[in-house]
Amino acid sequence: MPLSGRPGLANTHVFPTGWEDHHRPVSEDAMPAECTITRPASAGATFNESTAQTAWGAPGAVYGPGGACRVGRDQIQDSAELVADRKTAQRRYTVVIPAGTDEVQVDDIMTITSCVGDPALEGKPMQVVGAARGSTTWERVITCQLQQPVTY
């Protein structure tokens, strides 16, 4: 016979009231790096007939500058992609930012501005390829892809 109503003990919850608010400062305290996230301008482009070039508007700020984050290598296997007849390594990273930030979207650009643990990441733009969402969040988890320079 199936249980009716909400399973579990009466007057209890798996996540107590205020659980996310309690855990968010813990996550934010574990964000030693800093980053900036921008959204490429997709509107407002103008074509200059004399130069035959399109001028794009300035990218919009989504997070930062100098916003707290945590960076780690993704568990997904690195891959290689052909770019202009050259194999280019694709590296994926998981970047975590505070949950209360603006929504991050695929194709946004994340730039690590300070990373004491791996200074080689500083200044390298990464393309956002995934932004996790959920009903219970205490941090925003973002998957980014860093294209390595082409080797000859």
Side-chain angles (χ1 to χ4, degrees):
M1 172 185 216
L3 295 173
S4 62
R6 191 171 58 86
L9 300 173
N11 299 321
T12 64
H13 299 281
V14 174
F15 293 107
T17 303
W19 186 87
E20 290 174 306
D21 294 333
H22 175 75
H23 284 83
R24 284 178 178 170
V26 175
S27 175
E28 290 172 16
D29 192 44
M31 296 182 189
E34 294 179 355
C35 68
T36 298
I37 303 173
T38 56
R39 183 158 301 136
S42 59
T46 57
F47 184 73
N48 185 330
E49 302 247 355
S50 63
T51 63
Q53 293 183 337
T54 301
W56 297 94
V62 176
Y63 180 66
C69 69
R70 180 173 65 245
V71 185
R73 285 288 302 273
D74 204 330
Q75 298 300 317
I76 296 174
Q77 183 72 26
D78 292 334
S79 62
E81 182 179 294
L82 279 176
V83 176
D85 295 331
R86 301 275 188 227
K87 275 195 174 182
T88 303
Q90 305 293 312
R91 305 273 189 255
R92 290 215 170 172
Y93 290 85
T94 298
V95 181
V96 178
I97 61 175
T101 60
D102 289 342
E103 185 175 353
V104 177
Q105 299 175 0
V106 171
D107 291 335
D108 284 352
I109 303 298
M110 175 170 303
T111 305
I112 305 301
T113 56
S114 173
C115 185
V116 176
D118 189 358
L121 277 176
E122 293 178 9
K124 293 189 171 61
M126 294 187 272
Q127 180 181 18
V128 174
V129 294
R133 294 170 179 82
S135 61
T136 306
T137 57
W138 58 95
E139 59 189 14
R140 194 173 298 281
V141 180
I142 302 163
T143 304
C144 297
Q145 182 168 291
L146 172 67
Q147 289 186 332
Q148 298 295 325
V150 176
T151 56
Y152 298 96

